[in-house]
Amino acid sequence: MAKPRILLFVTELGLGGAERVVCELAVRLPAHGFEVEVAALQDDHGPIGDELRERGVAVRGLGVHRRRLWKGARALKRFANERRFDLV
């Protein structure tokens, strides 16, 4: 049976509290039988993005400016549909 696939989404991968929570979830969930990827609205750079990659988590930047949230929603939907996640 395939592992359930989860996409965790944040606006950016700086040092904020939400980003730290996403990082901890992304690192810990695979031990419980989940496949996890992280997507950021803007890009995949930043301290948390670097830490995630170092810890073996796939990170993807959607390349959308935070003032263009409607484009971000479309980009997120397109990415999630392409990668066939079970939970976003």
Side-chain angles (χ1 to χ4, degrees):
M1 185 169 162
K3 293 181 179 181
R5 303 185 74 231
I6 297 176
L7 175 63
L8 300 173
F9 176 71
V10 292
T11 56
E12 58 186 68
L13 292 165
L15 289 174
E19 292 86 350
R20 174 59 40 206
V21 170
V22 164
C23 183
E24 290 301 316
L25 284 170
V27 169
R28 294 174 189 229
L29 283 171
H32 297 281
F34 297 97
E35 184 180 327
V36 179
E37 291 186 40
V38 174
L41 182 64
Q42 295 178 3
D43 58 41
D44 61 349
H45 304 293
I48 298 295
D50 295 340
E51 181 179 343
L52 286 167
R53 275 189 290 283
E54 288 174 8
R55 295 174 85 175
V57 177
V59 181
R60 166 89 179 252
L62 299 179
V64 178
H65 191 276
R66 70 173 25 185
R67 290 189 178 156
R68 308 248 189 248
L69 291 179
W70 61 273
K71 283 187 179 181
R74 286 190 350 209
L76 176 62
K77 181 181 177 187
R78 188 177 319 112
F79 178 66
N81 285 338
E82 287 171 3
R83 303 282 293 137
R84 302 184 58 100
F85 290 99
D86 297 305
L87 180 65
V88 176

